[in-house]
Amino acid sequence: MALMPKRVKYRKVQRGSLAGNAGNCNKLDFGEFGLQVLDRGWMTARQIEACRVTMTRHTKRRAKVWIRVFPDKPISKKPLEVRMGKGKPGPDHWVACVRPGRILFEMSGVTRNTAKEAMALAANKLGMRTRFLAKEDQI
């Protein structure tokens, strides 16, 4: 089951702006290690799930993983071979808007090396530049 909101106030939303840097969720709050995004863009629910599966598999489910992003923006898409016009189509998939500095995932309960490898595998599932963070480095 893909990540998506249980209910929303509005079924369709406009594209919006991704200007600026992440104002919140840019520090490690839960785990010892984190994956921080350096680009701006949309992260789909499928990408988030693929990252989660990759990290839990690599750590053999020993690590506690926090997902710090949630796809709450519906993206509309017209079906193939449909003529222009006739209004905005219905929601096709869900995305999370991410800005530079946003922490995507946090992890604890494993060694630094294992966490770094797991986060690198997860970062390969994304089309964005990321970096590995550790709480011990921030102090």
Side-chain angles (χ1 to χ4, degrees), residues 71-118:
D72 56 356
K73 183 186 186 76
I75 301 300
S76 301
K77 187 173 186 299
K78 280 188 183 285
L80 290 173
E81 299 179 14
V82 172
R83 293 185 180 185
M84 291 288 102
K86 304 285 187 283
K88 185 169 178 170
D92 179 57
H93 60 279
W94 295 82
V95 299
C97 299
V98 293
R99 294 178 171 88
R102 176 77 185 237
I103 303 287
L104 304 178
F105 303 100
E106 292 188 34
M107 187 184 291
S108 68
V110 288
T111 64
R112 182 189 179 105
N113 200 23
T114 307
K116 192 165 188 169
E117 288 169 4

Side-chain angles (χ1 to χ4, degrees), residues 122-139:
N124 287 335
K125 308 287 181 193
L126 306 172
M128 304 175 199
R129 292 180 305 127
T130 58
R131 73 174 175 186
F132 178 78
L133 295 179
K135 193 161 249 180
E136 60 202 27
D137 298 341
Q138 288 185 336
I139 298 171

Side-chain angles (χ1 to χ4, degrees), residues 10 13 43 57 75 82 121 125 135:
Y10 298 108
V13 300
M43 193 172 166
R57 276 199 185 142
I75 301 300
V82 172
L121 290 171
K125 308 287 181 193
K135 193 161 249 180

